[in-house]
Amino acid sequence: MGKVCAIFGGSRGIGKAVAELLAQKGCRLAIVARNLELAQTTARNLGAGHLALSCDVSSEHEVQKTFEEMQRNLGPINYLVNAAGINRDGLLLRTKTDDMIAQIHTNLLGTMLTCKAAVKVMIQQQGGAIVNIGSVVGLKGNSGQSVYSATKAGLVGFSRSLAKEVAKKQIRVNIVAPAERFCLWARKQCMFKLLAGVSGPFTLLYN
């Protein structure tokens, strides 16, 4: 039976591309997105045996319910991909506080919450792999994206620290921080290799 992988933000973009590749490799997937209809469409197009769920990753209660639903339907997860994220571009002086909070809650807190839930399961499974999606702007910065950049920079520190916390439990934590020119094919191939174990306890990939 194939590995179980949860992909948050799996209904579009890089999350969807990774889902398509993992389905081809025989994984059983939970496609998780805020929009249940989009998640259902993606899961259905991947073929039989996949699950679609709706979740607001900034809510610990919703994240916990989502993991419980995945375990009931697919079994304990082996892989976690965090591709959920939002971007509200704008100069800091023009950025509303609500937009700052929304980006921090979704991009950073959301990843922390899904990782926390996944690690509990992976420790019981005696192993697993997590890949978080960052951005090159989290490393280099970009005008008009100060808040977004901060959330993605936070993911680097979080992923690096979590990797050290769980390495002895045979859990790998990595982060991919691609630039726009880093094509979708290359992104998903890198992520598959990280999930499959072609890495150390922490690898930061970007260009």
Side-chain angles (χ1 to χ4, degrees), residues 51-68:
L51 182 66
L53 296 168
S54 174
C55 179
D56 174 3
V57 295
S58 67
S59 166
E60 186 168 15
H61 177 66
E62 286 199 26
V63 169
Q64 189 58 46
K65 283 177 55 181
T66 299
F67 273 82
E68 290 171 359

Side-chain angles (χ1 to χ4, degrees), residues 16-206:
K16 182 178 179 181
V18 172
E20 292 168 349
L21 178 61
L22 291 176
Q24 292 171 10
K25 300 293 185 179
C27 291
R28 292 176 295 138
L29 306 176
I31 305 300
V32 188
R34 285 200 182 196
N35 187 316
L36 180 58
E37 186 175 343
L38 285 178
Q40 290 172 332
T41 299
T42 299
R44 186 165 53 248
N45 291 339
L46 294 174
H50 306 296
L51 182 66
L53 296 168
S54 174
C55 179
D56 174 3
V57 295
S58 67
S59 166
E60 186 168 15
H61 177 66
E62 286 199 26
V63 169
Q64 189 58 46
K65 283 177 55 181
T66 299
F67 273 82
E68 290 171 359
E69 188 72 14
M70 286 189 288
Q71 181 135 349
R72 277 196 297 269
N73 287 275
L74 298 175
I77 72 163
N78 307 106
Y79 302 150
L80 169 66
V81 174
N82 278 309
I86 60 173
N87 187 5
R88 308 276 171 82
D89 286 349
L91 298 174
L92 182 62
L93 291 178
R94 298 177 182 173
T95 303
K96 297 178 180 178
T97 302
D98 285 349
D99 287 337
M100 295 181 190
I101 293 171
Q103 290 179 84
I104 293 169
H105 280 186
T106 299
N107 300 351
L108 187 54
L109 177 62
T111 296
M112 292 177 175
L113 293 176
T114 58
C115 285
K116 180 180 178 181
V119 164
K120 290 179 181 178
V121 178
M122 291 176 180
I123 288 175
Q124 294 175 348
Q125 292 286 99
Q126 299 182 335
I130 296 170
V131 175
N132 297 324
I133 305 298
S135 170
V136 72
V137 301
L139 302 171
K140 299 181 178 181
N142 192 39
S143 177
Q145 292 187 309
S146 56
V147 178
Y148 178 74
S149 298
T151 65
K152 293 302 184 176
L155 280 182
V156 175
F158 169 72
S159 300
R160 191 184 298 274
S161 299
L162 181 60
K164 293 179 178 180
E165 290 181 16
V166 299
K168 291 182 179 179
K169 301 294 185 180
Q170 306 303 311
I171 301 170
R172 300 182 308 278
V173 181
N174 290 284
I175 184 166
V176 178
E180 287 299 322
R181 66 180 181 275
F182 198 46
C183 73
L184 198 58
W185 180 88
R187 296 183 197 187
K188 66 182 183 181
Q189 291 294 330
C190 285
M191 291 180 64
F192 174 72
K193 290 179 179 180
L194 293 175
L195 289 171
V198 187
S199 69
F202 177 84
T203 304
L204 173 61
L205 295 179
Y206 73 98

